[in-house]
C-alpha cells in the first residue's frame, strides 16, 4: 500500500510529465465510439466519403439525409441488461462479525444505502447507471465520496457522513495501478476554471485539478493563478494567510512556469481505494487489462449499418418516388403587353409568370393546367397523354431494407448468441427446446454482467460502511443463475404443473415465493416479512399430512413441535415487542432475529411444560432441531 508520501510523489510525477496509463488512448477512443453509436450524437463523423463519386457538397447532403439506426438497435440490446437489477430472488444480506450493536449498525448502513444518490438508493443507482456506464464507457470508475461534515467543539461530528457516487470517465481517470487485480491508487484529472490577475485585470482561465485516491487518504492538486505565490519550478512551499476566521496554512507546488497548484490532503480511512471500475467484459487487445462494452462484438454490424442506412436514405430521398413527366402549354407571358418568349420578356428579362421555364407547370393542388381549345377539333390532343408517371424499380430498395433488418438481427445475435429477439423466431418457434436454448443463451450473456453488478454492490457497501465507521460488515449479494424473467401467468402455470406432478415441497415453495415477490413488488416490507418467516419454518419440504405424521410419531424435537404449532403467535408476539421499542423486527440482522425467535420458543416450551404435570424441557436436546434459513412461506 503506497504511503501518503509515495502517493504525493506519484501524483506530482503524473502532473509534471502528463503521464497516463498505457492503454489510455485505446479506452478513450472506444468510449467515444460507443457514445456516438448509442446516443447518435456526432454520429455523422463516422460516415466516410466515397472520394471518386462524391464532392464536398454531395457528402454534406448525405450527412443531412442520413438517419442512423444505431441508437434504436443499442437500446434493444441494453434493455435486457436493465432487467438484471430487477431480477427475482436476489440474495442480499448484511451481517456483522461482532453481534454487539448489530441492530444499530444495520440501521446505520441501511440508511446510507437508501440515500446514496440523493433520493435514490444504491440499488436504484446501480440498476440504471451500471448498465449505462458499461455500454458507453466500461473503463470508467465509480468513486464513493462524501462532503465534509461540521465538527463540534470536542472534535465530534455533528451529523452523519453521507456517501455519494462520483462518476469518473475513462478520459478523466488518467492513471491508475492494480496489483493482483486490486486497485492500489487512481488519479483523476478534471477540467476547472480559476481566476488569474488582480483588480480590474482579473479573468477566468481554464485549468485542471488532479486527485489521487489511496487506500486511506487522498491528495488533490488544484490549479491557481501562477502569480499567486512565489514557488520555484519543481518545488513545494508553505504559506500562511490571514482570513476572517483566523490564519490558515496552505501548501503549493509549481509544476512549470505557467502551472501553480494548491495542495490539499484528506483522509477517508476506508482501508480500500473508494473507487471501482465498472467494466466486466475484458478487452483481448489489451490482454484483459481493460474492458469493452457488452455490445463490442456487434461493432462490425453497427459500422456496416451506418454506410448501408446512409445509402438507403439517399435512395429513398432521391430515387424512390414516382417521377412525373408532362407536356406543358407554352407560357404566353404576364399580359398582352408583357409576352414571353422561352422564359424571357422582349427586353431580355426573366418572365415572372413561368420563372424562366418557358412553359406553365402544374406545381401544387392549387394550380391547374389549362390548355386552349383549338378551333379545329381535329387538332385536339388526348389530355391523358399530357402527363406520364414513371414508377422506379424497387428491387434495390427492397434489398437495402432487408439487409438493414438482417444487420439488426446479426447485431443482437452477436451480443446474446440467441435468436430469441428475432420476431420471426418468436412468432414461429420450431420447438419448445429451441426457445429454451435461446433463453439460456441470453442468461449466459447476462450472468457475467450480474456477477460484476454484485461485485460493484458489495464493494460500494464496504466503502459506505467504512465511511459510517462500521468496519466488521459482511455483505452478501448474489444473483440466481436463472434470472426468472417470468410474468405472473408464467409463475402460476409453473406452480400448477408442479402441484399436478407431485413435485417436492421445496420446488413449490420457491415458486410460491416468486409469486409473492411479484405480488408484493410495491410492498417490500410485506415481502420481507414473508421471506423472513420462511427462514424459521421447521418443515420446509413437507406437506401438512407428512408434518402431522412426523410429530405424532416423535420424529422431531420439542422445539420444532412448538414453533410449528404456534408459528403465527410467535411472530406476532415478537413483532409487538419490537414495535413497543419503536423497532421493526424484519429489519434486524439474521443472528438477532434467530436469538429472539429462540427465546420466544423456549418461553413457550417452559409454559407448556409447566401446564403438564411432571413435564420437563431439555433445552440442549430441543434446540438440536432449530430451523435454518430456507423454509416454507408463512401464511
Amino acid at each position: 500500500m503506497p504511503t501518503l508520501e509515495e502517493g504525493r510523489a506519484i501524483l506530482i510525477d503524473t502532473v509534471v510529465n502528463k503521464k497516463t496509463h498505457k492503454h489510455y488512448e485505446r479506452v478513450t477512443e472506444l468510449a467515444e465510439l460507443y457514445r456516438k453509436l448509442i446516443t447518435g450524437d456526432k454520429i455523422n463523423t463516422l460516415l466516410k466519403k466515397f472520394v471518386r463519386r462524391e464532392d464536398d457538397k454531395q457528402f454534406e447532403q448525405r450527412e443531412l439525409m442520413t438517419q442512423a439506426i444505431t441508437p434504436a438497435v443499442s437500446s434493444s440490446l441494453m434493455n435486457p441488461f436493465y432487467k438484471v437489477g430487477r431480477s427475482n430472488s436476489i440474495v442480499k444480506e448484511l451481517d456483522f462479525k461482532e453481534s454487539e450493536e448489530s441492530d444499530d449498525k444495520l440501521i446505520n448502513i441501511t440508511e446510507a444505502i437508501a440515500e446514496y444518490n440523493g433520493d435514490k438508493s444504491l440499488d436504484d443507482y446501480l440498476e440504471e447507471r451500471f448498465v449505462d456506464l458499461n455500454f458507453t464507457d466500461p473503463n470508467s470508475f465509480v468513486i464513493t465520496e462524501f462532503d465534509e461534515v461540521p465538527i463540534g467543539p470536542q472534535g465530534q461530528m455533528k451529523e452523519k457522513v453521507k456517501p455519494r457516487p462520483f462518476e469518473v470517465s475513462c478520459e478523466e481517470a488518467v492513471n491508475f495501478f492494480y496489483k493482483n487485480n486490486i486497485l492500489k491508487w487512481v488519479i483523476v484529472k478534471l477540467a476547472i476554471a480559476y481566476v488569474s490577475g488582480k483588480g480590474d485585470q482579473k479573468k477566468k482561465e481554464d485549468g485542471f485539478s488532479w486527485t489521487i485516491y489511496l487506500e486511506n487518504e487522498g491528495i488533490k492538486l488544484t490549479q491557481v493563478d501562477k502569480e499567486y505565490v512565489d514557488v520555484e519550478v519543481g518545488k513545494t512551499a508553505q504559506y500562511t494567510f490571514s482570513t476572517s476566521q483566523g490564519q490558515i496554512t496552505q501548501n503549493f507546488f509549481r509544476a512549470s512556469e505557467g502551472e501553480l497548484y494548491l495542495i490539499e490532503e484528506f483522509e477517508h480511512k476506508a482501508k480500500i481505494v473508494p473507487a471501482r471500475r465498472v467494466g466486466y467484459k475484458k478487452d483481448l487487445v489489451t490482454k484483459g487489462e481493460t474492458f469493452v462494452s457488452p455490445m463490442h462484438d456487434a461493432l462490425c454490424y453497427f459500422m456496416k449499418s451506418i454506410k448501408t442506412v446512409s445509402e438507403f436514405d439517399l435512395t429513398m430521398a432521391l430515387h424512390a418516388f414516382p417521377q412525373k413527366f408532362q407536356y406543358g402549354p407554352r407560357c404566353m407571358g404576364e399580359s398582352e403587353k408583357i409576352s414571353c418568349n422561352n422564359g424571357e420578356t422582349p427586353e431580355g428579362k426573366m418572365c415572372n409568370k413561368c420563372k424562366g421555364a418557358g412553359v406553365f407547370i402544374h406545381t401544387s393542388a392549387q394550380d391547374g393546367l389549362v390548355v386552349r381549345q383549338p378551333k379545329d377539333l381535329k387538332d385536339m390532343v388526348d389530355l391523358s397523354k399530357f402527363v406520364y408517371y414513371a414508377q422506379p424499380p424497387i428491387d434495390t430498395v427492397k434489398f437495402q431494407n432487408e439487409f438493414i433488418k438482417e444487420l439488426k438481427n446479426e447485431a443482437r445475435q452477436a451480443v446474446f448468441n440467441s435468436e430469441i429477439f428475432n420476431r420471426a423466431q418468436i412468432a414461429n418457434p420450431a420447438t419448445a427446446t429451441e426457445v429454451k436454448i435461446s433463453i439460456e443463451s441470453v442468461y449466459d450473456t447476462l450472468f457475467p454482467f450480474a456477477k460484476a453488478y454484485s461485485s460493484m454492490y458489495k464493494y460500494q457497501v464496504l466503502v459506505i460502511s467504512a465511511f459510517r465507521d462500521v468496519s466488521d460488515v459482511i455483505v452478501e449479494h448474489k444473483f440466481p443463475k436463472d434470472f426468472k424473467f417470468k410474468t405472473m401467468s408464467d409463475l402460476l402455470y409453473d406452480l400448477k404443473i408442479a402441484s399436478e406432478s407431485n413435485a417436492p415441497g421445496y420446488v413449490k415453495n420457491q415458486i410460491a415465493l416468486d409469486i409473492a415477490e411479484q405480488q408484493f413488488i410495491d410492498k417490500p416490507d410485506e415481502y420481507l416479512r414473508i421471506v423472513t418467516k420462511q427462514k424459521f419454518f421447521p418443515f420446509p419440504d413437507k406437506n401438512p399430512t407428512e408434518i402431522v405424521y412426523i410429530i405424532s410419531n416423535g420424529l422431531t424435537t420439542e422445539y420444532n413441535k412448538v414453533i410449528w404449532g404456534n408459528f403465527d403467535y410467535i411472530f406476532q408476539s415478537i413483532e409487538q415487542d419490537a414495535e413497543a421499542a419503536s423497532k421493526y423486527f424484519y429489519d434486524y440482522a439474521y443472528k438477532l432475529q434467530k436469538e429472539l425467535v429462540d427465546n420466544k420458543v423456549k418461553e413457550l416450551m417452559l409454559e407448556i411444560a409447566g401446564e403438564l404435570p411432571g413435564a420437563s424441557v431439555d433445552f440442549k436436546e430441543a434446540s438440536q432441531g432449530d430451523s435454518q434459513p430456507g423454509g416454507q412461506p408463512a401464511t
Side-chain angles (χ1 to χ4, degrees):
M1 178 178 71
T3 63
L4 191 62
E5 291 73 19
E6 291 171 336
R8 189 184 301 111
I10 294 170
L11 179 60
I12 288 176
D13 182 44
T14 299
V15 174
V16 172
N17 298 298
K18 303 299 183 284
K19 283 188 174 180
T20 61
H21 62 87
K22 60 182 178 180
H23 302 303
Y24 184 76
E25 185 176 351
R26 164 78 174 170
V27 299
T28 52
E29 287 178 354
L30 282 178
E32 184 181 5
L33 175 60
Y34 295 148
R35 277 192 287 264
K36 288 177 181 177
L37 294 174
I38 292 172
T39 65
D41 183 37
K42 298 180 181 178
I43 198 170
N44 61 310
T45 59
L46 300 178
L47 283 172
K48 295 181 180 179
K49 184 191 295 185
F50 300 109
V51 180
R52 291 178 299 173
R53 293 185 296 168
E54 287 184 327
D55 56 27
D56 291 340
K57 189 172 183 180
Q58 289 173 325
F59 182 66
E60 183 181 352
Q61 181 186 42
R62 187 153 68 91
E63 284 186 313
L64 292 173
M65 288 185 176
T66 300
Q67 297 295 319
I69 63 170
T70 59
V73 179
S74 301
S75 178
S76 70
L77 296 177
M78 294 170 69
N79 282 337
F81 288 83
Y82 287 116
K83 293 178 181 291
V84 170
R86 302 193 297 270
S87 172
N88 298 336
S89 304
I90 300 175
V91 177
K92 184 169 60 176
E93 293 182 358
L94 294 177
D95 211 337
F96 306 92
K97 297 176 183 177
E98 302 292 336
S99 60
E100 295 181 4
E101 300 180 346
S102 59
D103 184 32
D104 293 334
K105 293 177 183 177
L106 181 63
I107 293 173
N108 187 7
I109 297 175
T110 303
E111 179 185 71
I113 290 174
E115 300 173 348
Y116 182 71
N117 187 212
D119 60 349
K120 291 184 179 180
S121 67
L122 174 61
D123 305 74
D124 295 334
Y125 171 78
L126 291 179
E127 185 179 310
E128 178 182 342
R129 292 300 296 161
F130 194 66
V131 179
D132 296 343
L133 293 174
N134 253 292
F135 272 83
T136 59
D137 191 359
N139 292 286
S140 62
F141 285 81
V142 175
I143 299 178
T144 296
E145 292 189 324
F146 60 88
D147 295 323
E148 292 187 12
V149 297
I151 303 298
Q154 304 300 322
Q156 78 280 12
M157 293 189 297
K158 291 185 176 181
E159 58 186 51
K160 293 180 180 179
V161 167
K162 294 184 178 180
R164 53 175 172 76
F166 168 40
E167 295 176 4
V168 176
S169 70
C170 67
E171 184 178 1
E172 295 166 339
V174 294
N175 207 359
F176 51 79
F177 176 69
Y178 281 86
K179 184 177 181 179
N180 193 27
N181 203 35
I182 296 175
L183 182 65
K184 293 300 180 181
W185 52 265
V186 60
I187 295 177
V188 178
K189 176 185 177 183
L190 298 177
I192 63 169
Y194 66 93
V195 177
S196 68
K198 297 179 180 179
D200 296 336
Q201 302 299 316
K202 283 185 178 180
K203 61 179 180 178
K204 284 189 176 181
E205 301 276 3
D206 294 328
F208 298 98
S209 70
W210 307 68
T211 306
I212 185 170
Y213 294 85
L214 302 170
E215 293 178 325
N216 280 307
E217 306 91 6
I219 307 167
K220 183 177 183 180
L221 300 184
T222 305
Q223 193 166 357
V224 296
D225 182 6
K226 62 182 180 180
E227 305 295 339
Y228 191 65
V229 291
D230 185 20
V231 184
E232 292 183 35
V233 174
K235 301 291 185 180
T236 59
Q238 191 176 81
Y239 285 83
T240 301
F241 304 91
S242 296
T243 67
S244 58
Q245 298 179 346
Q247 290 189 330
I248 60 170
T249 300
Q250 294 179 322
N251 294 315
F252 296 87
F253 168 73
R254 187 175 293 278
S256 66
E257 290 292 343
E259 290 179 275
L260 178 66
Y261 292 93
L262 169 66
I263 305 175
E264 298 173 282
E265 297 177 355
F266 56 91
E267 285 186 315
H268 55 77
K269 298 181 180 179
K271 296 184 181 179
I272 55 175
V273 180
R276 192 167 184 86
R277 216 165 12 166
V278 301
Y280 72 96
K281 188 177 177 65
K282 293 186 179 295
D283 187 357
L284 298 182
V285 173
T286 62
K287 298 180 181 180
E289 293 182 4
T290 59
F291 302 98
V292 294
S293 170
M295 71 176 195
H296 186 81
D297 294 337
L299 282 188
C300 56
Y301 300 111
F302 277 95
M303 301 308 293
K304 280 186 177 182
S305 76
I306 292 173
K307 173 181 177 294
T308 305
V309 169
S310 178
E311 292 177 343
F312 178 75
D313 289 342
L314 278 177
T315 301
M316 291 296 294
L318 302 178
H319 304 291
F321 58 88
Q323 298 186 25
K324 177 181 177 183
F325 301 88
Q326 72 178 70
Y327 287 111
R330 184 169 60 87
C331 178
M332 303 303 294
E334 297 181 60
S335 64
E336 293 182 359
K337 295 182 179 180
I338 305 178
S339 60
C340 176
N341 181 22
N342 291 326
E344 292 184 352
T345 64
E347 293 81 12
K349 297 180 180 180
M350 183 184 73
C351 174
N352 289 327
K353 186 173 184 181
C354 66
K355 306 299 182 186
V359 293
F360 181 66
I361 301 174
H362 186 193
T363 58
S364 74
Q366 295 180 354
D367 295 336
L369 287 177
V370 179
V371 181
R372 183 178 297 174
Q373 181 176 338
K375 294 180 180 179
D376 191 343
L377 294 179
K378 294 179 181 180
D379 296 332
M380 293 188 68
V381 180
D382 186 357
L383 293 179
S384 64
K385 296 179 180 180
F386 261 62
V387 179
Y388 171 71
Y389 287 91
Q391 298 293 333
I394 61 172
D395 291 343
T396 301
V397 177
K398 283 185 175 180
F399 169 76
Q400 289 177 322
N401 192 39
E402 290 300 320
F403 185 54
I404 291 170
K405 290 181 180 178
E406 187 63 26
L407 288 175
K408 293 179 185 177
N409 293 331
E410 292 290 346
R412 297 186 185 108
Q413 191 166 358
V415 174
F416 292 104
N417 298 312
S418 171
E419 293 279 358
I420 197 66
F421 297 109
N422 185 333
R423 183 172 296 179
Q425 292 288 330
I426 295 173
N428 302 295
T431 65
T433 303
E434 289 182 8
V435 173
K436 183 178 179 180
I437 291 173
S438 291
I439 293 174
E440 290 298 328
S441 296
V442 174
Y443 287 168
D444 290 343
T445 301
L446 295 178
F447 191 67
F449 171 82
K451 289 178 66 177
Y453 186 110
S454 290
S455 181
M456 174 65 81
Y457 180 91
K458 289 187 285 188
Y459 195 90
Q460 299 302 346
V461 169
L462 289 176
V463 175
I464 290 170
S465 302
F467 288 172
R468 284 291 185 109
D469 294 325
V470 179
S471 59
D472 62 337
V473 65
I474 301 172
V475 190
E476 180 70 17
H477 190 284
K478 185 168 60 176
F479 287 91
K481 291 186 178 180
D482 176 5
F483 290 98
K484 299 180 181 178
F485 297 150
K486 295 182 179 180
T487 64
M488 180 68 79
S489 298
D490 294 333
L491 292 171
L492 289 171
Y493 179 76
D494 289 347
L495 184 60
K496 177 176 179 291
I497 296 299
S499 300
E500 291 175 352
S501 61
N502 292 320
Y506 64 85
V507 174
K508 292 182 284 188
N509 292 338
Q510 185 57 55
I511 297 174
L513 264 185
D514 295 339
I515 292 173
E517 184 173 14
Q518 287 210 17
Q519 187 174 4
F520 295 107
I521 192 169
D522 295 322
K523 297 178 179 179
D525 287 346
E526 185 62 29
Y527 178 70
L528 178 63
R529 182 173 181 267
I530 293 172
V531 173
T532 303
K533 292 175 71 174
Q534 175 215 23
K535 295 177 182 179
F536 296 97
F537 194 80
F539 307 106
D541 58 343
K542 307 298 181 185
N543 59 43
T545 303
E546 293 171 330
I547 294 172
V548 171
Y549 177 84
I550 290 170
I551 291 177
S552 61
N553 286 276
L555 301 178
T556 188
T557 64
E558 195 67 27
Y559 180 98
N560 285 344
K561 291 180 185 179
V562 172
I563 194 172
W564 179 76
N566 302 272
F567 194 80
D568 287 333
Y569 167 77
I570 289 170
F571 280 91
Q572 287 175 1
S573 178
I574 295 174
E575 288 172 15
Q576 290 171 359
D577 292 343
E579 187 176 350
S582 300
K583 303 288 185 180
Y584 186 59
F585 169 73
Y586 299 101
D587 281 340
Y588 290 167
Y590 173 73
K591 288 182 180 179
L592 181 57
Q593 290 175 341
K594 190 173 189 315
E595 182 180 342
L596 293 174
V597 171
D598 286 348
N599 290 339
K600 186 62 65 175
V601 172
K602 290 170 183 177
E603 285 178 15
L604 276 174
M605 291 169 68
L606 287 172
E607 290 181 17
I608 294 170
E611 295 174 3
L612 299 175
S616 63
V617 177
D618 185 346
F619 284 112
K620 182 176 181 181
E621 177 186 351
S623 62
Q624 288 177 354
D626 289 0
S627 60
Q628 299 297 320
Q632 175 176 306
T635 56

